[in-house]
Amino acid sequence: MSNNKLQETIRDAALNKNIGSFSYWLHRLTGIGLAVYLLMHTFVLSSAISGETAFNERMGAVQNPFFAVLEIFLIAGVFIHMLNGLRITLADFFGWSRMHKSIFWIIAIIFFALMIITILLIWPKLNPANYPVGG
Amino acid sequence: MAVKISSQSMWTWMFQRLSGLFLGFFLVTHLNVHHLFHDITSAGLISFETVRTNLASSGFWKVYYFLFVPFIVFHALNGLWAIIADYRMPGTLSILIKTAFWIFAAALIITGFFTLKNLF
Amino acid sequence: MFYDVIIVGGGLAGLRAAIAAHDAGVKVGLVSKIHPVRSHSGAAQGGVNAALGNHPDGHDDTPERHAYDTIKGSDFLADQDAVELMANMAPEIIIEFEHWGCPFSRYEDGSIAQRPFGGAGFPRTCYGADRTGLYMLHTCYEQVVKRNIDVLYEHFVTRLAVKNGRCTGVIALNLHTGEFEAIAGNAVIFATGGSGRVYSINTTNAHASTGLGIAIPYWAGVALKDMEFIQFHPTGLEGSSILMTEGCRGEGGYLLNNRGERFMKNYVSEKIMELAPRDIVARSIQTEINEGRGFEDSFVHLDLRHLGEQKIKEKLPGIREICLKFKNIDPIKTPIPIHPANHYTMGGIDCDKNGETSLEGFYAAGECACVSVHGANRLGGNSLLDTIVFGTQTGRYVAGKVKGMSQTVDTDALNNGLDAEKERYERLQSSEGKANPYDIRNDLSKVMNEKIGIFRNETDMKAAVDEIKMLKIKFEKLRPIPNTVKFNYDFLWVTEIAGNLDAALAIATGALNRTESRGAHYRIDFNKRLDDEWLKHTLHTYHPSNPEITYKPVTMGKYEPEERKY
Amino acid sequence: MPTFKVFRYDPDKNDPPYFQDYEVPDHKGMTVLEALYYILENLDPTLAFRSSCRMGVCGSCAMHIDGQYGLACETQVAALGNKITIRPLAHMTVIRDMVVDLDPFFAQYEAIKPYLIPKNAPGPREYAQTPRERKKLDILVDCILCASCYGSCPVVGTDEKYLGPHALLKALRFIDDSRDGQTNERLAFVANDSGIFRCHTIFNCQQVCPKDLDPTGAIGKLKMKSLWAKLTGKLKSSG
Ligand SMILES: Cc1cc2nc3c(=O)[nH]c(=O)nc-3n(C[C@H](O)[C@H](O)[C@H](O)COP(=O)(O)OP(=O)(O)OC[C@H]3O[C@@H](n4cnc5c(N)ncnc54)[C@H](O)[C@@H]3O)c2cc1C
Ligand code: HEM
Ligand code: SF4
Ligand code: F3S
Ligand code: FES
């Protein structure tokens, strides 16, 4: 019917409610998210080219509780993308395609375990009181 | 007689996975050092100095980060390209975008290398 | 559109004929109302017979034995020259399929595996798990793709174009555009498959297997043959009547009644048991049910449990899949509820072993044709063979006939046909009646199942003939069909029902007239085979109110009729 | 009595597609195909849908049923809810209601040369193939070309040149056949830039396949095989 391919993509997402499609979307969205983060990260870090002060200034701007929350999302994205990347690589390389659903649940458990550790470790950064005054 | 094949899509596919596996290993370490096990209550904020001390701790890190930049840039841009390429478009447009991606990739890698150089 | 040979039907018979004619160097057009890979040949499960002698117990098998079994199975009504041709061609034609890539199951030495089937002296049924038909159909279609033969799919043929006693083409509705098209050709081969849907409430056949393919030439004056011989398959799944292949019994499955006994021992020798010919097994099952030894008065059990999980999964995976999906039972753990179901039309368009009919330029092959190799009862595994042997034979023969022939197209005949079909279409759209065509079909099916079933008698059959005639009258006053243009399925089905009605009337009158029991035609009022009087083929000639019945002799050969004991 | 919410579309009538509700009396063991026939025969003769074998082997009746692609003839009504939504397969032009244009689907199938190209010249007997060699074809040869996978694969939806799960599965069917002699040519073809490497391993095709086949696995196998053939020099770059 419609020749609009973007519409087709969205329709596919709606019509295929299953683990394969779900993890494909997670993978894609986290992939895009990470790519965008990579650009921002490069922008922040590249201030090192202009010297130590510039670097510390920019780094200081992104180290606060708000960015700590974003950091949790970033790390969640990395883990999801990484674990799922492993899942589809295993399917292609080792022919484990029939087990993809089981692998999905295994990586889901690993993901949640990793996220608990992550949140525990980032916990101090969520409290403004822990930041050195004046930065 | 060997059969002819146009293997570009094979190599990009392969390298997307290899770089992915490499990144997986890399990112976990990188996250540990710079995002997770960096305790601001004892070590303070991440600064030029802390990064430099970290990187200087062994030659290993230098090699590591210099490899990391091209890998992640390739992986990210090739990944984005894969998404765009799903929406099959006319050949000329496709070549145009591909070229833009290559230029962008080169720019990112150069920026990355200069950044690293200044931090070492 | 012009083709040297038009083939109507994309099942095994049609595809094989197309390949044969194409290879003989003529231009072929294949016309089918459904895509060839959707044809009902793909539903065949059990296998296809050929005396390859690969089975460890079958090394002594020969085409002669195959021919003898077939003729005996047919209750001696088969034409023996045709049977011999089929049995002799079988090995080479199966090997050819294998060379084309057909994925048959195998023995350790790499040869094609074979299993025992009913009524056969040796295990000679070649198979690919229990999806033989699917594999063969796809293999055949692959060869059509390879040869780049024109396939007009979803073109619904509704009429022959005939002029001066010569068939010059067909009229088909292109479902994609909704336009009628006249397709001209020097020869037309019909390979339209079975007509099981005449018995629609209890048949193993596809929705597409209606009687229209035999009704079209019948209406055009071509005689039908032996229509009263309708095969009931012993094992249709209870409820949906989906086929449980004879391979289940070939692999060693038991038939059990409600007392848990293998009742076949009461009907045939201990050596044969479940592997008696289909007519006998079907009657035995029906007798058990009628005499109260069935379950819920409607089915018995097909028990595979003792075969074990591995054998079932390896040799009968499709059967297990069907049981799980349609009945929610696992044959590894539970017996399968089955009852006899309409399965095969032994009769069909009257033709000889080259597919030639009484109408010049018109030929037939496959299940819609009656050569006849199956006589009064077809043996399992012989029908797939029939389609590919006579598909090849007819394709080659027809190609030889039309090669170098100048175009015999008659524009008048084509245009008249086109106009007649368009007019019929419009008439159906503006019809002022009330009758629902599907109610008529359901009533017809009920009449056929109840009165022209496994056990027949005069009173019932007389009533059936009358009822069918009533239904035909009712059919004249249908509610209008919709005026949608593309894929007007209501028009398609209404046309099919018209074919069903006349096919049914041919079956019923033929059966009523034949006052004997032979093969699948079993009368309680005449329960003996009477060779002196009835060793002859029935011929049905179309007449709007009453088919005309005549007879013609059976071609005999080296095998003399004998009592049929198993 | 379940309600069937059925996709309706007739391009000739200039109306946009819409959904129409039908109430269908159900009975034990009723399939979705039977329900569609009930609608056609008793409620609305304009409904268009394909079907033939009604036993899950001809591949005519694939559609999107209550949130899942599958065959109407083998989907039990009782297993679904009280409101059952029926749509045609995606990615193909709707000709009417459930009937879609399958030409591109078959064209892609034909593109992979779906026929045996034998290694050896045929002799008087069959090509020998051991049960072990034959076993590799199990599953691969069971594809009924129903197009469920084609409708479900997001790449098919956006890249009209992508060969599609069905064609790639068929390609492996011939590559894995011990009798076929064109392994490298076939590998080179499926590895082209509309072939196996366009697959994102989404698994939709595997999850919807009514015959429980594994096109995803087949594509994975093809990827490894072509990679291996390339690494061992059986496939040479064409520049
Ligand atoms: C469930 C089942 C299992 C079976 N198992 C076995 C078995 O194990 N062994 C065996 O030997 N036999 C078996 N048979 C019998 C055998 O499969 C059939 O007799 C045989 O396949 C018929 O093939 P055909 O080519 O004549 O017709 P079909 O395969 O039925 O094809 C008919 C073709 O004609 C076309 N057509 C029909 N009417 C028209 C029209 N009006 N216009 C255009 N096209 C039209 C259709 O589109 C279709 O392509 C089985 C039958 C059934 C029903
Ligand atoms: C952590 C380890 C990583 C692994 C194991 C990994 C793995 C993969 C794999 C296998 C693919 C291919 C998917 C496909 O073909 O569809 C992929 C795609 C992608 N990756 Fe990664 N990746 C990782 C990290 C990253 C990072 C850090 C980024 C961003 C900077 C990134 C961005 C992308 C993008 C944009 C895609 C394209 C998504 C798509 O095709 O749907 N990945 N990744
Ligand atoms: S692979 Fe499965 S879903 Fe795809 S066409 Fe074949 S049978 Fe249908
Ligand atoms: S859904 Fe499509 S992307 Fe690949 S795994 Fe199946 S072909
Ligand atoms: S009708 Fe044949 S697969 Fe459903």
Side-chain angles (χ1 to χ4, degrees), chain A residues 20-40:
Chain A
S21 179
F22 178 70
S23 40
Y24 157 71
W25 275 101
L26 275 183
H27 196 82
R28 217 159 237 204
L29 295 175
T30 52
I32 296 172
L34 292 175
V36 170
Y37 172 78
L38 178 69
L39 297 185
M40 300 189 332

Side-chain angles (χ1 to χ4, degrees), chain D residues 152-155 162 165 198-205 216 219:
Chain D
S152 76
C153 174
V155 183
Y162 178 48
R198 303 311 304 277
C199 163
H200 290 281
T201 326
I202 300 172
F203 295 102
N204 279 356
C205 51
T216 313
I219 295 167

Side-chain angles (χ1 to χ4, degrees), chain C residues 38 54 98-99 101 103 106 110 112 131 135 142 153-154 203 207 321 325-326 436 441 486-487, chain D residues 37 41 50 52 54 58 73-74 96 103 114 123 125-127 129 134 142 145 173 179 210-211:
Chain C
R38 316 286 184 224
N54 289 349
E98 196 282 336
H99 289 158
R106 300 289 174 150
I112 297 172
R131 301 195 172 99
Y135 300 161
E142 288 160 5
Y153 77 94
E154 291 176 326
T203 179
H207 288 285
E321 184 190 333
K325 283 183 174 157
F326 290 88
N436 180 340
R441 186 206 54 203
K486 294 171 181 158
F487 284 93
Chain D
Y37 267 111
E41 293 176 1
R50 291 186 173 106
S52 177
R54 66 86 179 80
C58 75
C73 67
E74 55 176 40
R96 220 158 71 65
D103 283 350
R125 295 293 305 189
E126 60 267 49
Y127 293 121
Q129 182 175 53
R134 170 63 183 74
D142 289 349
L145 294 173
R173 177 250 175 274
R179 299 166 290 177
K211 294 285 109 184

Side-chain angles (χ1 to χ4, degrees), chain C residues 348-364:
Chain C
I349 302 164
D350 174 34
C351 65
D352 67 7
K353 56 181 189 283
N354 295 321
E356 202 147 31
T357 69
S358 57
L359 177 62
E360 211 189 324
F362 180 78
Y363 304 80

Side-chain angles (χ1 to χ4, degrees), chain A residues 5 9 28 45 56 63 71, chain B residues 35 46 48 86-88:
Chain A
K5 292 182 172 180
T9 306
R28 217 159 237 204
L45 295 183
N56 284 346
Q63 296 189 67
E71 203 172 5
Chain B
H35 296 253
I46 295 178
F48 200 79
D86 272 357
Y87 298 83
R88 165 98 41 190

Side-chain angles (χ1 to χ4, degrees), chain A residues 27-28 31 34-35 81-82, chain B residues 16-17 20 24 27 72 75-76 79, chain D residues 200:
Chain A
H27 196 82
R28 217 159 237 204
L34 292 175
H81 189 90
M82 173 180 80
Chain B
Q16 181 74 356
R17 264 132 260 264
L27 281 173
I72 198 164
H75 186 94
Chain D
H200 290 281

Side-chain angles (χ1 to χ4, degrees), chain D residues 9-166:
Chain D
Y9 184 51
D10 186 348
D12 295 331
K13 297 241 152 81
N14 264 333
D15 297 329
Y18 59 99
F19 282 91
Q20 192 166 345
D21 284 358
Y22 301 97
E23 288 199 351
V24 178
D26 52 343
H27 58 79
K28 193 165 160 266
M30 188 189 214
T31 62
V32 169
L33 185 66
E34 288 174 60
L36 291 175
Y37 267 111
Y38 182 88
I39 297 170
L40 170 77
E41 293 176 1
N42 299 295
L43 306 175
D44 188 345
T46 63
L47 188 67
F49 57 92
R50 291 186 173 106
S51 85
S52 177
C53 71
R54 66 86 179 80
M55 55 190 273
V57 71
C58 75
S60 303
C61 66
M63 51 187 81
H64 190 264
I65 305 159
D66 210 33
Q68 259 289 356
Y69 288 101
L71 299 178
C73 67
E74 55 176 40
T75 307
Q76 300 283 324
V77 173
L80 308 172
N82 235 327
K83 196 156 181 109
I84 299 162
T85 311
I86 310 273
R87 299 167 202 266
L89 294 175
H91 310 324
M92 286 163 277
T93 314
V94 177
I95 304 176
R96 220 158 71 65
D97 301 345
M98 240 52 68
V99 178
V100 295
D101 180 7
L102 287 163
D103 283 350
F105 173 82
F106 281 113
Q108 276 147 349
Y109 158 78
E110 287 173 16
I112 62 112
K113 298 200 178 151
Y115 40 83
L116 191 80
I117 306 177
K119 238 196 303 237
N120 307 315
R125 295 293 305 189
E126 60 267 49
Y127 293 121
Q129 182 175 53
T130 62
R132 269 193 50 208
E133 289 167 333
R134 170 63 183 74
K135 206 166 173 55
K136 284 172 87 176
L137 307 183
D138 272 359
I139 297 205
L140 293 172
V141 289
D142 289 349
C143 172
I144 58 174
L145 294 173
C146 70
S148 292
C149 53
Y150 195 75
S152 76
C153 174
V155 183
V156 172
T158 54
D159 182 353
E160 60 280 0
K161 287 206 177 135
Y162 178 48
L163 282 170
H166 68 303

Side-chain angles (χ1 to χ4, degrees), chain B residues 53-116:
Chain B
T53 335
N54 262 333
L55 293 186
S57 60
S58 86
F60 178 70
W61 285 117
K62 291 191 184 165
V63 180
Y64 219 101
Y65 275 94
F66 270 107
L67 272 176
F68 167 60
V69 169
F71 267 83
I72 198 164
V73 169
F74 171 85
H75 186 94
L77 289 187
N78 188 51
L80 291 178
W81 166 248
I83 298 175
I84 296 170
D86 272 357
Y87 298 83
R88 165 98 41 190
M89 57 214 136
T92 39
L93 182 59
S94 145
I95 291 170
L96 214 68
I97 302 179
K98 241 187 199 165
T99 321
F101 266 66
W102 278 115
I103 295 169
F104 193 51
L108 268 178
I109 293 175
I110 291 167
T111 316
F113 280 172
F114 273 106
T115 308
L116 283 177

